[in-house]
Amino acid sequence: MELPDGVVDALTDIVGFDGVRLAPGELAVYGRDATPLFEGRPDVVVLPRTTEQVAAVLRLATEHRVPVVPRGAGSNLCAATVPLAGGIVLALTRMTRILEISNEELLARVQPGVTTARLADAAGARDLLYAPDPGSRTTSTVGGNIATCAGGLRGLKYGVTRNYVLGLEAVLPTGEVIRTGGRLWKDVAGYDLTRLLTGSEGTLAVITEATVALLPKPAETGTGVAYFETLSDTCRAVTAILSAGIVPATLEFLDQNCISAVEDFARLGLRQDAGALLLFGDDGPIEVVAGNLVRLRKICTEAGALEVTLAEDVARSDALLAARRCSLPALSRLAPLTILEDVTVPRPKLAAMVDQINEIAARYALRFATFGHAGDGNLHPTCVLDPDDGAAVDRAHKAFAEIFAAAIRLDGTITGEHGVGAAKLPFLADRLGTDQLRLLGRIKSAFDPAGILNPGKVGS
Amino acid sequence: MELPDGVVDALTDIVGFDGVRLAPGELAVYGRDATPLFEGRPDVVVLPRTTEQVAAVLRLATEHRVPVVPRGAGSNLCAATVPLAGGIVLALTRMTRILEISNEELLARVQPGVTTARLADAAGARDLLYAPDPGSRTTSTVGGNIATCAGGLRGLKYGVTRNYVLGLEAVLPTGEVIRTGGRLWKDVAGYDLTRLLTGSEGTLAVITEATVALLPKPAETGTGVAYFETLSDTCRAVTAILSAGIVPATLEFLDQNCISAVEDFARLGLRQDAGALLLFGDDGPIEVVAGNLVRLRKICTEAGALEVTLAEDVARSDALLAARRCSLPALSRLAPLTILEDVTVPRPKLAAMVDQINEIAARYALRFATFGHAGDGNLHPTCVLDPDDGAAVDRAHKAFAEIFAAAIRLDGTITGEHGVGAAKLPFLADRLGTDQLRLLGRIKSAFDPAGILNPGKVGS
């Protein structure tokens, strides 16, 4: 789009010269996020430092009907932060203060641009745990995590980001500043706007401050790895673990293709003749962790594991977790284009879903690897291919459409933790139905009557 | 109101003769809930058995602009289920089936009229735990618990109802049936309508089915009681417990007036010379519970407890929990009218809040007792008085208005777990601000354009 006359000057008045970016190279950078094949181009990038500046930018944008795309680190994988309609990218990456950490109240209050890892480290230094643990934690921001309701490797036991958001300060597209929730674990005064904004992908309001719950840091953590002949065996072990009354912090799996890629990349000494590996971990009081790891080893062995090893020390434990965390970079090396997806199915249907993914991949002659969160049925089927091979890219799009349909048929969903964004908006009606989709549109209008906030995404 | 011609006949066609109530005595019963001093009168009570019947009733009501008040057991304490504008009371108490309990998936699927205790018992029989544990659990329904986002005695460690709702089937006021969420722990496809409906007090949609998360049943539970000279000492002990990194399942307090009333009522052998008592409890693996109870005893002793006792067996443990659960019936015996409130403040401000409650009570010459959830700062200040003493009732209203204002000043809220209803709607703007209140109204309109669903409550 063409910005209306005077908008850039007005933005400069609001945030100062150093808060406005217009250079073509910078506009190009903010035209993408971590999602391949999606690209937009903002007319201007604005980097506010205060809530008041955010409010002034949004009032101006609503007045002039200029699109605004709020953005944290841009590590999004569903094109939720790609400025498809141009306009303003509102980058919250200069609002990075940790305003408060309280051991007494078990909470932190932060600005949205703080990275997840920095908050976790600051909490850890006070013997506290910030439980949400997305794979992108070293770069992703807390504001972005909340906007997408990020999950992570501890989701089974600890839940996802929404379970930890106590209160938000947010600016409506029309410029009003609201405060939802607060410092309280229990507060039912009004509709749960805290949770409605969590996961709304920057389409309803711009988060300018968050109060999040912390937990006492567990005394001990422990990790182990089990290798299985097939992924079906792995899934049977997961079911046996949960049916035995154990809900461990971590239950992650890698399929054979993924194991190979990770081993080639990181040389962790993973066994490569297995059809799948299950990474398990727990935390808590020392006696509980030790007991649970032994029980997990026994259950995996009984479920037919080829081999089960408990990490002998923290270094080995970290190495095993790194195997899971580096799955995406490892797969990215296999071909120039990596498309990573995020379907979720009920746990008992995990093996069936992976079978379907492999069948679809074979039928479309595509190279796939799959890893994910076995405990909560959240899979990341990943396709690696050459972006210059247009026919293959087309086949990949068709394959993913079939994968989404298969997940829905299995009582699953098209996105467990990454979000809808622009990438999955075309599939949302299949998941929610048209009545619910229309309702989302009416909710969007209740927040954003001019439709300026992140257009072309959920709610549009 | 006067029902439009033909509406009763049409309702009878939908739910059958046995699903329609018109007798004056029954209308009077459904004109009230558990909230004193609030009364409405429905024109008709409708008891559907299926989702299709609910949808047909709502379509009819929207067409004829007839108010509809959805209702579970009617144990609400903020007049959320009082039919202030007449019309239809839609009682979900005949939809009582437990449709499914799965150990493998750790979930239950139920109709809304199942009582909380019945679900908990059915889960318990399968070695599973339904964690939400509101005081009214033997009569309250799961649908009502979700509509109010009910809390309870285990909220500190386990969180509240919203943490356990995985998916909902709900009918919009215009008759469309939507399904939000599902069987998944992780699902970010679209705005979080599951959480938006949770706590919306029957003003946005009617819940017709819920899928809720269960946990493995803890191997052991244990309880203890500590007596303190003052409530401030009690609060100091609570802070010390949490700062020591222990988050027990239960941390409940009773003030002196409450202890006396409970002891007179239930003869549990509570010590009556104390200024307050703290009931603490934990659950989990045997070695953890045993260790934590000893640590809790030590911390309470160091915080100046007059006496600390651990329950020697399950019977004593149940008796102690009964002391907390019977606070409301015990206080109800002191005078014909009992007004129980539900403010919440940040934990460190609990003692200050109780001091202010007592100061306000003294100034207005009212008899108050206070009990509540010390762990999450959720207090239930309770006023007992004679309903025929109009001047005292007026003073009580003024006193509660001051209590709400004091809670807000202390960064707290006007309701932690009971809801807004009609009783606290006048105070909601003070808590949320007018911008947010207007936003709630726009969200309400997005669901309910004709404004038929539970008018005069939150969102109105």
Side-chain angles (χ1 to χ4, degrees):
Chain A
M1 72 174 292
E2 188 83 11
L3 285 183
D5 281 350
V7 164
V8 170
D9 287 346
L11 290 170
T12 309
D13 286 345
I14 293 166
V15 294
F17 280 106
D18 72 327
V20 173
R21 302 280 188 277
L22 289 162
E26 292 197 274
L27 298 183
V29 166
Y30 286 96
R32 291 173 162 275
D33 58 20
T35 321
L37 307 176
F38 284 86
E39 187 170 6
R41 193 178 179 84
D43 295 285
V44 59
V45 178
V46 177
L47 297 116
R49 287 197 189 275
T50 67
T51 301
E52 294 66 35
Q53 291 178 355
V54 172
V57 170
L58 290 173
R59 269 194 302 273
L60 183 79
T62 281
E63 184 190 337
H64 293 280
R65 300 290 192 268
V66 177
V68 177
V69 179
R71 176 187 171 109
S75 52
N76 188 270
L77 289 164
C78 61
T81 47
V82 173
L84 295 173
I88 299 167
V89 164
L90 188 69
L92 283 308
T93 43
R94 296 205 304 185
M95 293 178 71
T96 58
R97 283 199 297 152
I98 294 177
L99 301 163
E100 177 184 3
I101 292 182
S102 167
N103 284 66
E104 190 177 358
E105 295 191 56
L106 293 173
L107 59 79
R109 203 159 50 83
V110 301
Q111 290 189 319
V114 175
T115 63
T116 320
R118 207 178 122 226
L119 169 59
D121 290 347
R126 304 274 294 266
D127 280 325
L128 297 169
L129 175 75
Y130 179 60
D133 183 39
S136 52
R137 60 196 294 281
T138 54
T139 51
S140 67
T141 64
V142 175
N145 290 171
I146 294 171
T148 54
C149 190
L153 270 61
R154 286 194 287 241
L156 178 60
K157 178 171 170 177
Y158 286 106
V160 295
T161 298
R162 71 161 173 265
N163 297 98
Y164 295 89
V165 186
L166 296 174
L168 294 173
E169 179 188 79
V171 186
L172 301 184
T174 37
E176 300 95 325
V177 179
I178 61 170
R179 286 190 161 268
T180 74
R183 306 170 73 87
L184 309 171
W185 264 243
K186 279 178 173 174
D187 186 357
V188 290
Y191 301 143
D192 189 351
L193 298 192
T194 306
R195 244 61 49 184
L196 183 58
L197 293 181
T198 302
S200 66
E201 303 184 17
T203 64
L204 299 180
V206 177
I207 296 163
T208 49
E209 189 186 303
T211 305
V212 297
L214 304 174
L215 296 170
K217 189 156 71 177
E220 180 72 315
T221 62
T223 309
V225 62
Y227 296 91
F228 292 88
E229 203 168 303
T230 67
L231 190 63
S232 295
D233 291 349
T234 315
C235 295
R236 214 170 44 241
V238 169
T239 295
I241 290 165
L242 295 163
S243 299
I246 311 175
V247 181
T250 298
L251 277 180
E252 302 285 314
F253 78 96
L254 276 65
D255 76 357
Q256 188 161 31
N257 294 336
C258 210
I259 296 171
S260 299
V262 167
E263 187 55 29
D264 286 348
F265 176 67
R267 304 282 167 209
L268 297 163
L270 302 179
R271 184 169 163 162
Q272 301 217 44
D273 61 339
L277 74 74
L278 180 70
L279 186 70
F280 55 84
D282 203 11
D283 57 15
I286 292 172
E287 62 277 21
V288 173
V289 173
N292 275 351
L293 287 179
V294 169
R295 291 166 74 198
L296 290 167
R297 179 170 60 188
K298 183 161 178 284
I299 292 170
C300 287
T301 303
E302 287 168 1
L306 302 170
E307 179 188 338
V308 191
T309 324
L310 302 185
E312 67 275 15
D313 53 29
V314 172
R316 184 63 192 158
S317 194
D318 286 349
L320 287 175
L321 289 171
R324 168 60 184 79
R325 285 195 195 281
C326 76
S327 296
L328 177 54
L331 292 170
S332 303
R333 295 200 326 160
L334 300 184
L337 178 60
T338 311
I339 307 177
L340 179 146
E341 266 306 338
D342 179 40
V343 292
T344 305
V345 292
R347 267 189 302 264
K349 295 174 175 169
L350 194 66
M353 185 69 224
V354 176
D355 286 346
Q356 295 207 23
I357 291 167
N358 291 335
E359 184 275 318
I360 292 165
R363 188 150 39 80
Y364 284 101
L366 292 164
R367 191 171 176 194
F368 261 78
T370 299
F371 61 97
H373 315 285
D376 42 38
N378 186 198
L379 303 111
H380 296 310
T382 304
C383 181
V384 294
L385 69 169
D386 177 357
D388 295 330
D389 182 350
V393 172
D394 281 350
R395 292 202 308 277
H397 285 308
K398 286 180 184 145
F400 277 116
E402 286 201 28
I403 288 170
F404 299 147
I408 292 171
R409 271 199 309 275
L410 293 170
D411 289 330
T413 189
I414 58 173
T415 174
E417 58 183 8
H418 292 172
V420 175
K424 264 172 298 185
L425 193 60
F427 305 97
L428 196 58
D430 292 339
R431 168 71 183 123
L432 301 181
T434 48
D435 286 336
Q436 190 170 164
L437 210 62
R438 277 196 286 263
L439 177 59
L440 299 193
R442 296 197 297 274
I443 293 169
K444 161 80 173 169
S445 297
F447 281 81
D448 183 15
I452 60 150
L453 210 50
N454 211 356
K457 315 296 169 59
V458 63
S460 293
Chain B
M1 69 174 293
E2 189 82 15
L3 285 184
D5 282 349
V7 164
V8 169
D9 288 345
L11 290 170
T12 308
D13 286 345
I14 294 167
V15 294
F17 279 106
D18 72 326
V20 173
R21 302 279 188 278
L22 289 163
E26 291 196 274
L27 298 182
V29 166
Y30 286 96
R32 290 173 162 275
D33 59 19
T35 321
L37 305 176
F38 283 86
E39 187 170 4
R41 193 178 179 83
D43 295 284
V44 58
V45 178
V46 177
L47 297 116
R49 287 197 188 274
T50 68
T51 301
E52 294 66 36
Q53 291 179 355
V54 171
V57 169
L58 290 173
R59 269 195 301 273
L60 183 79
T62 282
E63 185 190 335
H64 291 282
R65 299 291 192 269
V66 177
V68 176
V69 180
R71 174 186 172 111
S75 52
N76 188 270
L77 288 163
C78 61
T81 47
V82 173
L84 295 172
I88 299 166
V89 163
L90 188 69
L92 284 307
T93 43
R94 296 206 302 186
M95 294 178 70
T96 58
R97 284 200 298 154
I98 296 178
L99 301 164
E100 178 184 3
I101 293 183
S102 168
N103 284 66
E104 191 177 358
E105 294 192 55
L106 293 174
L107 57 79
R109 201 159 50 84
V110 301
Q111 290 190 318
V114 175
T115 64
T116 320
R118 208 178 120 226
L119 170 58
D121 290 348
R126 305 273 296 264
D127 280 325
L128 296 169
L129 175 76
Y130 179 60
D133 183 39
S136 53
R137 59 196 294 282
T138 53
T139 50
S140 67
T141 63
V142 175
N145 290 169
I146 294 171
T148 54
C149 189
L153 270 62
R154 289 194 286 242
L156 177 60
K157 178 172 171 177
Y158 286 105
V160 295
T161 298
R162 72 160 172 266
N163 297 98
Y164 294 89
V165 187
L166 297 173
L168 294 174
E169 178 190 78
V171 185
L172 302 184
T174 37
E176 299 96 326
V177 179
I178 62 171
R179 286 191 161 268
T180 74
R183 306 170 73 87
L184 309 170
W185 264 243
K186 279 178 173 173
D187 185 357
V188 291
Y191 301 143
D192 189 352
L193 298 191
T194 307
R195 246 58 51 183
L196 183 58
L197 293 180
T198 302
S200 66
E201 303 184 17
T203 64
L204 299 181
V206 177
I207 295 163
T208 49
E209 189 186 304
T211 305
V212 297
L214 304 174
L215 296 170
K217 190 155 71 175
E220 179 73 317
T221 61
T223 310
V225 61
Y227 296 91
F228 292 89
E229 202 168 303
T230 67
L231 190 64
S232 295
D233 291 348
T234 314
C235 295
R236 214 169 45 241
V238 169
T239 295
I241 290 166
L242 294 164
S243 298
I246 311 175
V247 181
T250 298
L251 277 180
E252 302 285 314
F253 78 96
L254 276 63
D255 75 358
Q256 189 161 30
N257 294 335
C258 210
I259 298 171
S260 299
V262 166
E263 187 55 28
D264 286 348
F265 175 67
R267 304 283 168 208
L268 297 162
L270 302 177
R271 184 169 162 163
Q272 301 218 43
D273 62 339
L277 74 73
L278 180 69
L279 186 71
F280 53 85
D282 203 11
D283 57 16
I286 292 173
E287 62 276 22
V288 173
V289 173
N292 274 352
L293 288 179
V294 169
R295 290 165 75 197
L296 290 166
R297 180 169 61 188
K298 183 162 179 285
I299 292 170
C300 286
T301 304
E302 285 168 1
L306 302 171
E307 180 188 338
V308 191
T309 324
L310 302 184
E312 67 275 16
D313 53 28
V314 173
R316 185 63 192 159
S317 194
D318 286 349
L320 289 175
L321 289 170
R324 168 61 184 79
R325 285 195 195 280
C326 76
S327 296
L328 177 54
L331 291 169
S332 302
R333 296 199 325 159
L334 299 183
L337 178 61
T338 311
I339 307 176
L340 178 146
E341 267 306 339
D342 179 42
V343 293
T344 305
V345 293
R347 268 189 301 265
K349 294 174 177 170
L350 194 67
M353 185 69 224
V354 175
D355 285 347
Q356 295 206 24
I357 291 167
N358 291 336
E359 183 276 319
I360 291 165
R363 190 149 40 76
Y364 283 102
L366 292 164
R367 191 171 175 195
F368 262 79
T370 298
F371 61 97
H373 315 284
D376 42 38
N378 185 199
L379 302 110
H380 296 310
T382 304
C383 183
V384 292
L385 69 168
D386 177 356
D388 296 330
D389 182 350
V393 173
D394 281 351
R395 292 202 308 279
H397 285 308
K398 287 180 184 145
F400 277 115
E402 287 201 28
I403 287 170
F404 299 146
I408 292 171
R409 270 199 310 276
L410 292 170
D411 289 329
T413 189
I414 59 173
T415 174
E417 57 182 9
H418 292 173
V420 175
K424 265 172 297 186
L425 194 60
F427 305 97
L428 196 58
D430 292 341
R431 168 70 183 124
L432 301 181
T434 49
D435 285 336
Q436 190 170 164
L437 210 60
R438 277 195 286 263
L439 178 59
L440 298 194
R442 296 197 297 275
I443 293 169
K444 161 80 173 168
S445 298
F447 282 80
D448 183 14
I452 60 148
L453 210 51
N454 212 356
K457 314 296 167 61
V458 62
S460 295

